[in-house]
Amino acid sequence: MRSLPVPDPGVADHRTPGRFLWWLARGQWQTLLGGMFFGIVWMSCQAVMPAVLGRAIDRGVAARDEQQLVVWAGVMLGIGLLQAVTGIMRHRFAVTNWLTASYRVVQLTTRQSVRLGGSLPRKVSTGEVIAIGTTDLDHIGNVMDVTARFSGAIVSFLLVSTILLTTSVQLGLVVLIGVPLLLLLMGPLLKPLQARSATERQMRSDLSNTGTDIVGGLRVLRGIGGEGVFLGRYRRESQATRTAAVEVARLQSVLDALQVFLPGIFVVLVVWLGARSAVAGEISAGELVAFYGYSAFLMLPLRTATEFANKLIRGRVAASRVCRVLALDPDVVEPASPAPTPAPLAELRDARSGLRVRPGTLTAIVSERPDDSAHLADRLGLCAAEQDDEVSLGGTPLTSLPHAVVRERVMVSDTGATLFAGRLGDRLDEHGRGGVEAAIATASAEDVLEALPDGLDTVVTEKGRSFSGGQRQRLVLARALTADPEVLVLVEPTSAVDAHTEARIASRLRAHRAGRTTVVTTVSPLLLDAVDEVAFLVDDQVVATGTHADLLASHPDYRAVVVRDVEVSA
């Protein structure tokens, strides 16, 4: 499929579901018009077929005129061939419209996820995004799909009404008045259907969240014996969601039944009136057959109209969820007037905490509370929920720089970083810069690679769950080292490995990052022994800086934090 022109999510009209659907329709108006054109011709061919059949009966069969019979049979053949061709084209355009709308929603949601970055999990749940990618885009695509048939239904209804009025005013008025009346009778069901669909959609999203939480924390649950508790919780939510889905299906079944029952009554009424007119001599036998054909055909426009209303309701519910995600703004927005890019090897500084990271050095941040040092690391990379102008690179606030520049020069790799599914070599070298082997050696992950039958060609499972915690942490470290940014911020990069592996990583990290700036948050003496400078953080303030040995000798609080960590590890 060709690349679809999708603007930035912030440009998309997401104020209301109706405007969003209209915005999508405007973006694919050529294929929508094509589908509507072929839908109108296709359904119009079906609409005029009873009239042609009636002419063939009156002028060919009843009049015993073989020439007229052949002529009208040829007309029916031509209309049938045109109906077949336009039906094929209508279906092709309908599928194209469905795919185009669905993938534009995927592109918009994906770009919005990238735009939000670290703000995404703080603003919207995983289950909500999953539901958009599994069910919502399907409902939105269905709206674009049914548009072609709905336009054909409107035109064919007007065409049949005109033909009937020219033949019998009574039957024409019955059709013109009866069809809208049938739609009005089904109207009261549409609003409750929309409300129940919205409730069921929210419960499905919540259920996806619960399932994601259980899968993500399965190892922890097994360790504490909590599988039964979460199984019971998932079972209750699943049953509640099933009950909500049954309520939607119950109302939907009533609507579907009415789509058959009411048009059936309408067909009986039209045939009865036509039969009376034929007995009275007001219409011919061929016209009676045509009336019956019109009555049977009118079931198609009626069902199409109700199908359109049903899919439009579901599409609006889905669009409202998409709009909610598109309306979100990242915690840190792009600067209106970006500042000039700082020179290479610039100093990274945080005025709030007093941290100063000299260019080209390996600096450690130590804190009694790991959350404080991790939060500072997020602020250094413009990843925190709240961001101000106090973090600067070369004297320029990070908030004044384009986000692409910040992401290129400053990278934060925290303990929550995961491996995406795919070929391992591609996952480690996502920027295509090479040096994977050297990064693996620095991360002391050679044994992980050797244990894999296909080496770097091994396909990584979702979130790297096939690896142990220590293996995954080392591979994440290797990925960060392969990216080779100017400033690399590592949050507890060795917390899940043994002491021997940690010692090897500490001894290799300095050489691998020579000439570039590296910041590590840790309380491990093995790592602290290998760094150039240590910043001791207390209550979000740097209270002391120096080498690890100097701080051990001169700062009792620092010594208490580091020595306690050694005792806990022992």
Side-chain angles (χ1 to χ4, degrees), residues 52 59 91 147 248 266 282 320-322 383 417 456 461:
V52 177
R59 299 185 182 184
H91 180 70
T147 302
V248 174
F266 183 71
E282 298 174 359
S320 66
R321 314 297 297 192
V322 177
C383 301
L456 291 175
T461 58

Side-chain angles (χ1 to χ4, degrees), residues 308-494:
F308 175 79
N310 184 16
K311 289 186 175 181
L312 181 61
I313 286 173
R314 291 177 175 268
R316 285 178 61 86
V317 172
S320 66
R321 314 297 297 192
V322 177
C323 289
R324 188 173 302 178
V325 174
L326 295 182
L328 299 175
D329 288 319
D331 295 323
V332 183
V333 298
E334 289 281 355
S337 301
T341 303
L345 290 178
E347 181 184 67
L348 184 64
R349 182 177 181 181
D350 176 37
R352 181 191 299 181
S353 64
L355 176 68
R356 301 184 65 173
V357 181
R358 291 182 288 112
T361 61
L362 177 58
T363 303
I365 302 174
V366 175
S367 175
E368 184 179 11
R369 294 180 294 188
D371 288 346
D372 291 349
S373 55
H375 181 258
L376 176 57
D378 286 342
R379 295 183 65 248
L380 294 178
L382 209 63
C383 301
E386 79 289 340
Q387 202 75 36
D388 47 44
D389 296 338
E390 295 180 313
V391 180
S392 59
L393 182 66
T396 303
L398 294 185
T399 53
S400 300
L401 296 173
H403 290 180
V405 173
V406 177
R407 300 288 176 254
E408 177 70 20
R409 299 186 63 172
V410 183
M411 173 182 287
V412 179
S413 179
D414 60 24
T415 53
T418 58
L419 292 172
F420 295 108
R423 180 178 173 272
L424 178 59
D426 297 334
R427 299 289 75 80
L428 297 182
D429 189 16
E430 295 178 347
H431 299 273
R433 295 176 179 173
V436 174
E437 291 79 7
I440 289 176
T442 300
S444 191
E446 304 97 321
D447 60 318
V448 180
L449 198 62
E450 292 170 359
L452 299 175
D454 299 322
L456 291 175
D457 292 325
T458 301
V459 177
V460 180
T461 58
E462 182 186 6
K463 294 186 177 181
R465 290 196 176 98
S466 57
F467 300 110
S468 67
Q471 290 174 332
R472 189 162 57 246
Q473 188 176 58
R474 284 181 284 164
L475 290 175
V476 168
L477 174 59
R479 180 180 62 186
L481 294 173
T482 303
D484 197 30
E486 176 185 330
V487 180
L488 177 60
V489 182
L490 302 172
V491 180
E492 301 289 346
T494 59

